[in-house]
């Protein structure tokens, strides 16, 4: 099943889509912009299904021949652009699959939909070829362009499309979704929602990832012992951390959530709003061993470590500075 009601959050996009269908004011070109994993494809699919559905109404019926074909991803009037080279969509891809086929009328529906995923991978020639199609699309054509980065698209393309920007989904909705569809317990859903920062697909990946659990366990183990560690222990820890260098941002996010919890607890003495509620004993300890100022310094150091790593400063050096700052500020 795929309905507008299955799209979590994104009210503005959903309202827009339903209203253009209702008023029969569908444009020829849309851009859906959103983070990787945020669910752009799912939204595009629901929209395409609704546009082609044989039944009356705004929601796709999920029952008619067209809807069933769309659900099986074999509706001949929905064309998904594919590309052989993983990092580029070439002019040939656009010519063969879009410009070259768009003049062929739809098979069964009154519309023909093109879905172009990862549009930021179109090189300049490909974009120019697509632009020609966007300048004079046939009456029945609807082109849905999906991208993580609208800035990678030519302004001339943007100006011919209705741009729909995805917004971060509220944590409470993400949590509810994870509990219902990924069947994770309340506490885990909350941690994953806090991490995913409104990205529903990322939340789902985190909730079903063993790697994430492992990183979380190690981060918390480190936090519990850092004030007793000497410089040798810290060097050893950094060596171990090299193992999950790729996920280091997740690791740093876990530390940041921990210290934000500690700060919150120090200020309110209330455990109910904490993300790491189940670690309350240790959060209490962290809060009592640091000053407000110390906790602020640690949170700033975490941000700084992230920007250093993204600027390619040495991993070992960055982590050493970070862990020493944490240690220094974890003991009144
Ligand atoms: Zn239908």
């Amino acid at each position: 099943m795929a309905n507008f009601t299955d799209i979590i959050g994104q009210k503005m996009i959903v309202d827009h889509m339903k209203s253009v269908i209702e008023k029969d004011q569908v444009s020829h070109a849309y851009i859906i912009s959103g983070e990787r994993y945020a669910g752009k494809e799912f939204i595009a699919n629901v929209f395409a299904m609704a546009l082609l559905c044989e039944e009356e109404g705004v929601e796709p019926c999920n029952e008619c021949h067209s809807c069933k074909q769309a659900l099986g991803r074999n509706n001949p009037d929905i064309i998904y652009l594919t590309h052989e080279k993983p990092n580029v969509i070439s002019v040939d891809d656009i010519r063969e699959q879009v410009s070259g086929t768009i003049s062929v009328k739809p098979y069964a529906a009154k519309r023909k939909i093109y879905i172009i995923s990862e549009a930021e991978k179109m090189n300049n020639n490909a974009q120019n070829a697509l632009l020609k199609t966007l300048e004079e699309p046939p009456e029945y054509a609807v082109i849905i362009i999906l991208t993580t980065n609208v800035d990678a698209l030519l302004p001339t393309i943007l100006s011919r499309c209705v741009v729909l920007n995805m917004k971060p989904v509220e944590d409470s909705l993400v949590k509810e979704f994870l509990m219902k569809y990924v069947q994770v317990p309340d506490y885990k859903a909350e941690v994953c929602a806090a991490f995913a920062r409104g990205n529903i697909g990322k939340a789902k990946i985190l909730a079903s990832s063993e790697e994430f659990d492992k990183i979380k366990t190690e981060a918390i183990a480190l936090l519990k012992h850092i004030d007793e560690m000497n410089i040798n222990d810290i060097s050893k820890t950094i060596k171990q951390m090299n193992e999950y260098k790729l996920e280091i941002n997740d690791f740093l996010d876990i530390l940041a959530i921990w210290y934000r919890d500690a700060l919150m607890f120090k200020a309110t003495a209330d455990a109910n709003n904490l993300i790491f509620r189940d670690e309350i004993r240790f959060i209490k300890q962290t809060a009592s061993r640091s000053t407000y100022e110390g906790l602020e310094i640690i949170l700033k150091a975490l941000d700084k470590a992230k920007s250093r790593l993204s600027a390619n400063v040495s991993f070992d050096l960055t982590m050493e500075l970070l862990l020493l700052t944490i240690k220094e500020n974890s003991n009144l």
Side-chain angles (χ1 to χ4, degrees):
M1 291 283 279
N3 285 306
F4 283 115
T5 46
D6 296 322
I7 298 170
I8 318 283
Q10 314 306 339
K11 189 172 180 310
M12 270 167 57
I13 296 183
V14 169
D15 286 352
H16 176 87
M17 288 176 167
K18 284 160 105 174
S19 124
V20 294
I21 294 174
E22 207 163 21
K23 295 182 194 150
D24 199 19
Q25 289 175 345
V26 178
S27 296
H28 287 298
Y30 291 89
I31 292 175
I32 303 176
S33 149
E35 285 178 12
R36 194 170 171 218
Y37 305 129
K40 300 181 287 297
E41 283 78 10
F42 184 73
I43 296 175
N45 281 330
V46 173
F47 190 40
M49 256 171 89
L51 289 172
L52 301 185
C53 178
E54 292 158 18
E55 296 296 321
E56 291 284 316
V58 171
E59 286 275 1
C61 75
N62 283 270
E63 299 288 335
C64 72
H65 188 58
S66 170
C67 281
K68 281 194 175 144
Q69 282 183 322
L71 286 169
R73 232 180 145 87
N74 57 11
N75 188 315
D77 291 323
I78 305 178
I79 295 109
Y80 296 90
L81 184 95
T82 57
H83 52 105
E84 263 169 41
K85 289 188 200 145
N87 292 317
V88 64
I89 299 176
S90 70
V91 64
D92 288 341
D93 294 326
I94 296 292
R95 280 196 189 130
E96 280 161 24
Q97 299 173 58
V98 185
S99 332
T101 65
I102 203 158
S103 59
V104 180
K105 292 209 167 85
Y107 284 86
K110 59 174 182 167
R111 288 196 176 91
K112 185 172 179 180
I113 322 275
Y114 286 82
I115 298 181
I116 304 179
S117 294
E118 302 183 303
E120 66 282 355
K121 293 184 178 170
M122 285 191 289
N123 62 23
N124 249 344
N125 289 340
Q127 293 201 37
N128 279 312
L130 180 64
L131 183 61
K132 286 214 182 83
T133 303
L134 291 174
E135 278 165 357
E136 280 179 78
E139 198 43 46
Y140 48 76
V142 178
I143 299 172
I144 309 175
I145 297 169
L146 312 180
T147 184
T148 53
N149 179 15
V150 278
D151 295 332
L153 301 176
L154 295 173
T156 39
I157 290 198
L158 294 179
S159 69
R160 290 182 186 277
C161 298
V162 175
V163 181
L164 303 168
N165 292 309
M166 294 184 71
K167 298 264 155 46
V169 181
E170 256 176 67
D171 282 0
S172 59
L173 292 178
V174 178
K175 181 182 164 189
E176 200 184 297
F177 167 81
L178 292 177
M179 288 174 69
K180 197 164 163 195
Y181 294 100
V182 193
Q183 268 126 31
V184 292
D186 175 275
Y187 154 78
K188 189 171 178 184
E190 195 158 332
V191 174
C192 294
F195 256 77
R197 294 171 193 262
N199 182 327
I200 202 95
K202 190 173 174 202
K204 200 172 156 189
I205 294 170
L206 291 174
S208 29
S209 146
E210 284 172 23
E211 186 69 6
F212 179 72
D213 274 345
K214 197 178 139 216
I215 293 173
K216 197 182 107 222
T217 310
E218 290 190 20
I220 293 179
L222 169 74
L223 290 167
K224 287 179 181 169
H225 300 293
I226 192 152
D227 55 332
E228 307 147 17
M229 285 174 144
N230 62 31
I231 189 87
N232 280 335
D233 301 330
I234 288 184
S235 297
K236 244 188 254 165
T237 305
I238 294 169
K239 277 209 187 82
Q240 286 165 7
M241 279 177 165
N242 270 290
E243 205 189 305
Y244 39 81
K245 232 181 194 172
L246 284 176
E247 285 87 26
I248 193 66
N249 277 335
D250 288 341
F251 188 90
L252 297 177
D253 281 344
I254 294 172
L255 302 194
I257 291 179
W258 182 274
Y259 285 104
R260 259 185 257 133
D261 268 3
L263 195 60
M264 169 90 97
F265 185 77
K266 201 174 175 69
T268 63
D270 179 3
N272 287 316
N273 293 319
L274 305 184
I275 305 222
F276 287 123
R277 277 196 298 278
D278 66 334
E279 297 284 351
I280 180 62
R281 197 158 70 85
F282 290 100
I283 292 283
K284 242 183 202 169
Q285 200 176 70
T286 305
S288 66
R289 285 185 183 172
S290 299
T291 58
Y292 282 106
E293 203 196 351
L295 293 171
E296 299 278 6
I297 291 172
I298 292 172
L299 286 166
K300 274 194 196 128
L302 282 162
D303 273 344
K304 202 167 204 172
K306 265 192 176 178
S307 50
R308 279 188 178 131
L309 290 171
S310 67
N312 285 321
V313 177
S314 138
F315 179 85
D316 288 21
L317 179 67
T318 305
M319 295 313 292
E320 191 178 322
L321 286 170
L322 172 68
L323 295 184
L324 288 174
T325 308
I326 295 180
K327 185 178 157 59
E328 265 167 36
N329 291 284
S330 298
N331 235 330
L332 275 180

